[in-house]
Amino acid sequence: MGRLKTGTPPRLDGRTIDYSRFEEQKGDREPVFFSYRTRGVTLPQVSCYVGYTHEGVHRLLRENLRYSALYGGAITGIGPRYCPSIEDKVVKFADKERHQIFLEPEGLDTHEVYLNGMSTSMPEDIQEAMVHAVAGLERARIVRLAYAIEYDFVDPTEMKPTLETRRVPRLFHAGQINGTTGYEEAAAQGLVAGINAALRAGGADGIVLDRTESYIGILIDDLVTRGVDEPYRMFTSRSECRLLLRIDNADRRLSPLGHRLGLVSDRAWRSAGGNTKLRNDCGVYCGRSVGSGADGAARRGSGSGQRTDSGAAVAAPAHHAGRFRAASAGEGHVVSG
Ligand SMILES: Cc1cc2nc3c(=O)[nH]c(=O)nc-3n(C[C@H](O)[C@H](O)[C@H](O)COP(=O)(O)OP(=O)(O)OC[C@H]3O[C@@H](n4cnc5c(N)ncnc54)[C@H](O)[C@@H]3O)c2cc1C
């Protein structure tokens, strides 16, 4: 077992914010979806806003550091390096004159606004002073205070790659208990642990996704082989094959396995086939456009590239070609449970 820590920023009442002091950040005009099955945006879109801290805010935090649960010693676990608290930023990046803060609406039917970038474990009065010192937030009402917590986790090397614990057969762990942080990290492990628990209960072998075919495979492989010494987050930079693990081929990589497991319906499976044909046609078109040189050949899937079962090209760098099992891309390798 080990201990980690994390925190969250205050939530503000959006009706008390002077947005004119912030810069509007609209969503993408043409958003890219995770799935080809998503046809378009159905919900109304709302903007975020960006603003900045300043030296006055930093001074306030520095002068009151001893009241921070994170700095005063009340919380000692290791926190997420990639989303530091505002007091952490002021101390660790003392040369910075300002830090970005984002106002993010929490939903369509609430006035609550998430003050991204101002995660803190300071007491209430310091939080009030810190928030009100920011231009545009002078009158902002804090609906919910920021806070930090510590939590226990189980050393993830205690798990098999199926996420079943080694010591307690048929017990599966997923998410924060494995030392990860993040909604997506928890969801990804929950999916695999759920699949494998169901397979195990039915007497079948579990599935393990390979590092070369999915980010979930990398996440779980990192956890069970290396363990964690800080809250683990998934980044594309953790992948040796990040040029191959792309949004545009996720369905080709993983739908075969999903269909085999009964998680991708026959209907969705058929429609994915249709989409594959469309993309293949585009691929052939692009292949022609780039000419017949080595580069073009690689893009069309010859040379070091690998072919999926549909014949579509998934170009692979030469040094990874041997490791990439594209003929069964997404099949996962099956291990004994
Ligand atoms: C303050 C804070 C801020 C965060 N901010 C972000 C963020 O901005 N972005 C981000 O991606 N991630 C964030 N995280 C991390 C993210 O919330 C977690 O990593 C993720 O939610 C963990 O999911 P989980 O399913 O593993 O655990 P949890 O979401 O904690 O779910 C565990 C569930 O198990 C239930 N449970 C516990 N014991 C029992 C029992 N004995 N019987 C039945 N049920 C039980 C609990 O009630 C809980 O519902 C934040 C975390 C914290 C604490």
Side-chain angles (χ1 to χ4, degrees):
M1 302 277 295
R3 290 218 109 181
L4 297 169
K5 71 181 180 198
T6 190
T8 197
R11 272 59 165 184
L12 308 179
D13 181 339
R15 294 167 297 188
T16 59
I17 294 173
D18 177 2
Y19 287 101
S20 69
R21 307 297 303 273
F22 291 83
E23 189 190 323
E24 187 176 7
Q25 305 267 294
K26 285 184 181 295
D28 290 352
R29 207 175 297 161
E30 290 176 27
V32 178
F33 303 108
F34 282 123
S35 167
Y36 285 113
R37 273 182 273 154
T38 306
R39 303 279 179 218
V41 177
T42 50
L43 287 171
Q45 298 298 291
V46 285
S47 295
C48 292
Y49 292 81
V50 63
Y52 298 93
T53 61
H54 52 76
E55 179 48 32
V57 177
H58 301 180
R59 195 176 336 109
L60 174 79
L61 290 167
R62 274 196 306 271
E63 286 171 359
N64 290 284
L65 266 186
R66 63 187 179 285
Y67 300 116
S68 157
L70 297 172
Y71 273 87
I75 290 184
T76 53
I78 299 165
R81 181 182 346 173
Y82 315 99
C83 20
S85 65
I86 186 70
E87 52 263 40
D88 240 354
K89 286 190 269 196
V90 166
V91 172
K92 288 187 181 154
F93 310 105
D95 58 313
K96 301 284 177 234
E97 288 170 8
R98 60 182 198 172
H99 294 286
Q100 275 186 328
I101 46 177
F102 293 91
L103 303 174
E104 301 178 354
E106 293 236 319
L108 293 174
D109 46 14
T110 174
H111 295 295
E112 263 189 46
V113 171
Y114 183 92
L115 186 54
N116 193 342
M118 277 215 161
S119 173
T120 184
S121 64
M122 285 290 191
E124 183 171 354
D125 54 337
I126 312 287
Q127 288 194 33
E128 293 274 358
M130 168 186 87
V131 167
H132 293 152
V134 174
L137 300 183
E138 294 87 347
R139 288 181 216 282
R141 189 171 72 83
I142 298 182
V143 185
R144 278 189 287 158
L145 288 166
Y147 61 90
I149 58 131
E150 268 190 308
Y151 57 94
D152 294 326
F153 73 100
V154 174
D155 179 353
T157 60
E158 289 283 334
M159 287 181 305
K160 297 176 184 175
T162 55
L163 295 184
E164 185 176 12
T165 57
R166 292 185 191 281
R167 296 193 198 200
V168 186
R170 294 174 180 262
L171 174 67
F172 291 77
H173 277 182
Q176 197 159 279
I177 196 168
N178 288 337
T180 61
T181 185
Y183 309 138
E184 296 81 5
E185 287 79 357
Q189 292 170 70
L191 178 64
V192 171
I195 290 170
N196 282 332
L199 289 171
R200 185 87 154 86
D205 290 335
I207 56 125
V208 175
L209 294 168
D210 196 272
R211 290 185 74 87
T212 56
E213 65 195 357
S214 76
Y215 282 102
I216 300 181
I218 292 162
L219 167 75
I220 295 176
D221 187 57
D222 280 351
L223 289 176
V224 304
T225 59
R226 298 181 194 180
V228 296
D229 52 12
E230 63 179 337
Y232 181 100
R233 279 229 97 149
M234 190 68 241
F235 299 112
T236 51
S237 58
R238 295 195 191 271
S239 167
E240 305 83 350
C241 303
R242 57 189 166 276
L243 296 181
L244 299 177
L245 301 185
R246 302 188 309 270
I247 298 174
D248 66 289
N249 62 19
D251 61 338
R252 270 181 288 164
R253 285 187 278 111
L254 296 169
S255 291
L257 175 63
H259 188 241
R260 188 157 60 80
L261 290 168
L263 296 172
V264 173
S265 69
D266 290 339
R267 197 166 152 219
W269 178 242
R270 280 196 299 275
S271 98
N275 282 331
T276 302
K277 180 177 179 323
L278 176 66
R279 284 195 310 286
N280 286 349
D281 292 346
C282 293
V284 170
Y285 173 79
C286 294
R288 277 200 208 111
S289 315
V290 296
S292 56
D295 185 39
R299 284 188 213 185
R300 285 195 304 275
S302 56
S304 62
Q306 304 283 328
R307 285 181 183 280
T308 64
D309 46 2
S310 64
V314 183
H319 61 286
H320 285 137
R323 302 184 60 195
F324 189 69
R325 295 177 294 111
S328 59
E331 287 292 319
H333 56 264
V334 174
V335 297
S336 291

